[in-house]
Amino acid sequence: MTDASSSTRRTVRVELGDRSYDILIGPGLIAAAGSEIAARLKGRRIAVVTDEHVGPIYLDPFMRSLSTSGIEAVSLVLPAGEKTKGFEHLMAVCDSVLGARIERNDAVVALGGGVIGDLTGFAAGVVRRGSRFIQVPTSLLAQVDSSVGGKTGINSRHGKNLIGVFHQPDLVLADTDVLDTLSQREFRAGYAEVAKYGLIDKPDFFSWLETNWREIFAGGPARIEAIATSCQAKADVVAADERENGPRALLNLGHTFGHALEAATGYDSSRLVHGEGVSIGMVLAHQFSARMNLASPDAARRVEAHLTEVGLPVSMTQIPGDLPPAERLMDAIAQDKKVKSGKLTFILTRGIGQSFVADDVPASEVLSFLKDKYPR
Amino acid sequence: MTDASSSTRRTVRVELGDRSYDILIGPGLIAAAGSEIAARLKGRRIAVVTDEHVGPIYLDPFMRSLSTSGIEAVSLVLPAGEKTKGFEHLMAVCDSVLGARIERNDAVVALGGGVIGDLTGFAAGVVRRGSRFIQVPTSLLAQVDSSVGGKTGINSRHGKNLIGVFHQPDLVLADTDVLDTLSQREFRAGYAEVAKYGLIDKPDFFSWLETNWREIFAGGPARIEAIATSCQAKADVVAADERENGPRALLNLGHTFGHALEAATGYDSSRLVHGEGVSIGMVLAHQFSARMNLASPDAARRVEAHLTEVGLPVSMTQIPGDLPPAERLMDAIAQDKKVKSGKLTFILTRGIGQSFVADDVPASEVLSFLKDKYPR
């Protein structure tokens, strides 16, 4: 850890009483992981879970950093991709953590993107009915969204993230250097979640993104600023509503449509990744809000223009391959977990940065909207 | 539900703030289940999980009772036995609950003994990151222990109950009529947990059991009294320490040895069931306490005499078949979840009803004690 790294580093605190924790954001945090963890953890054993994309690049330096700080670690490398988020790999992670004799003061570490974080966090949440957990997110999506807030889980054939627990991490280390090794497509997908925070309730941040997005993509201070602003936005929502009984639902802007599209494409990342689904979903949510006369069509057009400019898909017609009939997409929407007594809950908007939870959206309106938008 | 039933019914309240719930104890509660559930649940859909022993006897009357009260239900019948508490069946229950479109105001019901309760509770705790859950325990063990307090889980090859969550039920219906269909062996196994509450901190209750156990085995008011006293004892401990950071550990009296013996016999119920392991474990805990000069050997002799009188095993020599070497039993003990930074935590005692948590028991003392007691 150089002086330069620590001077540009930002810390966001997630306030949750005796389960509060820090998110450290900045360059060089993988190399500094051992000392940051050793300073906070009573135990001296760690089980690291990563995948076949991240492992070959970052597992060695991460393990060296732990070892230098006197932490013993074992590692498990899983296949990369959304399909890893299932029972089979959950079982493998639990078995590996128990086999490593991780005790209550030790920790389980997720070194990877959202898939590794969600799966490993779920395992940490159920091994011994709850073990310490550290997130080292290596994708932009994971840094600004999935590694913060304690939602963990796996997919079911009935839908995405339908099985899981709330289990807060004890620490998040977001090393911004690792984002340089992401593909443009992956970086863009994470950017969709950054833009989401603006669209929820930060119109000034969205305007700032419209002006500065090139600098965020290129790296440097604007990137760290965008990540810190996103983490702070999520931390604020989580502190106010940890279990998603109220305002936390706003974080699902674009996600109800997005999840349904991911299910409809069989979680095949060659066709659609999560952030792309969210991008299309956010545009659909703004268009649907306009159709319901809640917002001006200009807001939807502005969202569509910005996401198009950064290279994200904004319409179902941009998804390669065939989609199932609109009715099957509706089934996936109805099965999504944001359903109460048969009524559909959606995040809709009154304009840029003016999103709200609508919990009585008529299914028939959604279906007829989808049919209009459908690529056939 | 007859007037006679409701007049003999007892209610124990588990006080956990906004997650408080009632345990109803008495005859006729399976027939009354529909009205009791309908009075408390907002939703009108239920997924019932049971096993191949309980299902053929109680599933029909239970489903009829639900239907009469306007509740739609689906059911899933699993194989009976401890081996059902694994990932494969957890996955099946989650899938069944999601397939039945159980929503947030609906509920998942466990109709069965401890295995069905622990497995189904775990599934309810992770489906949609936490669904409503109702326990209808059909064994004495489940009525006085596992259905109360929110501990759920499955076994791992590394040990029993090592994977799970804390997930409190919304209601427990303990129908005392169903205990008449239990085998004597099963009833006795549950009785070990009843005796445990006396041995933890209720010496008068233990004396009362020594006098009245025949009436408890025969049925009638003493049985309901013993169950209600046990549930109240557990409810008090759980209310004081839901997550087992302190006094709740006392409920593990006899369980560290017991779990190790269950693991050593491969969870083979023809050799040893949980309550039998606890019975032997409680005797060992009292004997080990005497050896450590913490308690008089008379206490251990009194526990051994009473448990022998009711027909429970009290020594490892009574387990049919070979046991692995004492060293392997020690491994299982060390891997048990009540371990902190390498030191062994045991529940020891200063005499009848004077148990306490000892968190610095030397492994070498335990091993040499086990070798003395070993059946070879």
Side-chain angles (χ1 to χ4, degrees), chain A residues 62-308:
Chain A
F62 186 75
M63 297 294 265
R64 263 199 311 278
S65 171
L66 293 179
S67 165
T68 303
S69 296
I71 297 171
E72 266 188 85
V74 298
S75 63
L76 179 67
V77 182
L78 299 177
E82 189 74 29
K83 284 182 178 150
T84 296
K85 272 177 69 172
F87 265 108
E88 181 199 346
H89 293 106
L90 176 68
M91 194 163 62
V93 175
C94 289
D95 200 55
S96 167
V97 172
L98 286 166
R101 303 212 161 193
I102 297 301
E103 297 181 2
R104 288 194 180 176
N105 291 327
D106 302 327
V108 181
V109 173
L111 173 67
V115 167
I116 289 298
D118 286 1
L119 175 75
T120 307
F122 188 11
V126 300
V127 165
R128 300 176 194 277
R129 298 196 187 94
S131 305
R132 287 175 199 279
F133 175 47
I134 295 169
Q135 291 265 24
V136 186
T138 60
S139 71
L140 178 58
L141 180 73
Q143 293 191 353
V144 301
D145 180 24
S146 55
S147 72
V148 179
K151 273 196 185 181
T152 73
I154 57 175
N155 302 326
S156 146
R157 65 183 176 84
H158 298 286
K160 205 172 142 73
N161 294 321
L162 286 175
I163 302 170
V165 292
F166 285 93
H167 187 62
Q168 296 293 341
D170 295 272
L171 175 67
V172 181
L173 299 174
D175 185 333
T176 51
D177 285 341
V178 307
L179 303 180
D180 290 332
T181 59
L182 294 181
S183 69
Q184 276 296 300
R185 187 179 173 207
E186 256 188 302
F187 192 89
R188 273 188 217 117
Y191 183 83
E193 298 279 357
V194 174
K196 185 188 75 176
Y197 295 108
L199 295 175
I200 290 174
D201 61 359
K202 294 181 172 45
D204 293 350
F205 181 55
F206 189 75
S207 300
W208 182 79
L209 292 174
E210 287 177 313
T211 310
N212 294 285
W213 69 270
R214 282 176 191 82
E215 210 198 319
I216 295 167
F217 276 64
R223 179 184 286 181
I224 295 175
E225 178 66 27
I227 295 172
T229 301
S230 299
C231 287
Q232 188 66 59
K234 180 144 186 188
D236 291 346
V237 173
V238 169
D241 177 25
E242 187 181 2
R243 294 269 170 156
E244 196 172 4
N245 298 310
R248 183 162 178 169
L250 289 172
L251 296 173
N252 289 317
L253 175 63
H255 281 59
T256 302
F257 286 123
H259 285 167
L261 291 170
E262 283 182 273
T265 50
Y267 303 111
D268 176 352
S269 63
S270 71
R271 297 180 63 193
L272 191 76
V273 295
H274 176 68
E276 292 166 347
V278 170
S279 178
I280 297 172
M282 290 194 297
V283 173
L284 288 172
H286 281 74
Q287 290 171 338
F288 184 68
S289 298
R291 183 187 170 107
M292 300 288 280
N293 293 316
L294 294 162
S296 149
D298 291 345
R301 280 193 283 266
R302 194 173 145 196
V303 175
E304 192 177 352
H306 178 56
L307 297 176
T308 299

Side-chain angles (χ1 to χ4, degrees), chain B residues 151-172:
Chain B
K151 273 195 184 182
T152 73
I154 58 175
N155 302 325
S156 145
R157 66 183 175 86
H158 298 286
K160 206 172 139 72
N161 294 321
L162 286 175
I163 303 169
V165 292
F166 286 93
H167 187 62
Q168 298 293 340
D170 295 273
L171 175 67
V172 181

Side-chain angles (χ1 to χ4, degrees), chain A residues 312-323:
Chain A
L312 280 163
V314 293
S315 154
M316 293 187 283
T317 57
Q318 292 169 277
I319 301 171
D322 288 338
L323 290 177

Side-chain angles (χ1 to χ4, degrees), chain B residues 210-221:
Chain B
E210 287 177 312
T211 310
N212 294 284
W213 69 269
R214 283 177 191 83
E215 211 198 319
I216 295 166
F217 276 66

Side-chain angles (χ1 to χ4, degrees), chain B residues 104-116:
Chain B
R104 287 194 181 177
N105 292 325
D106 302 328
V108 181
V109 173
L111 173 69
V115 168
I116 290 298

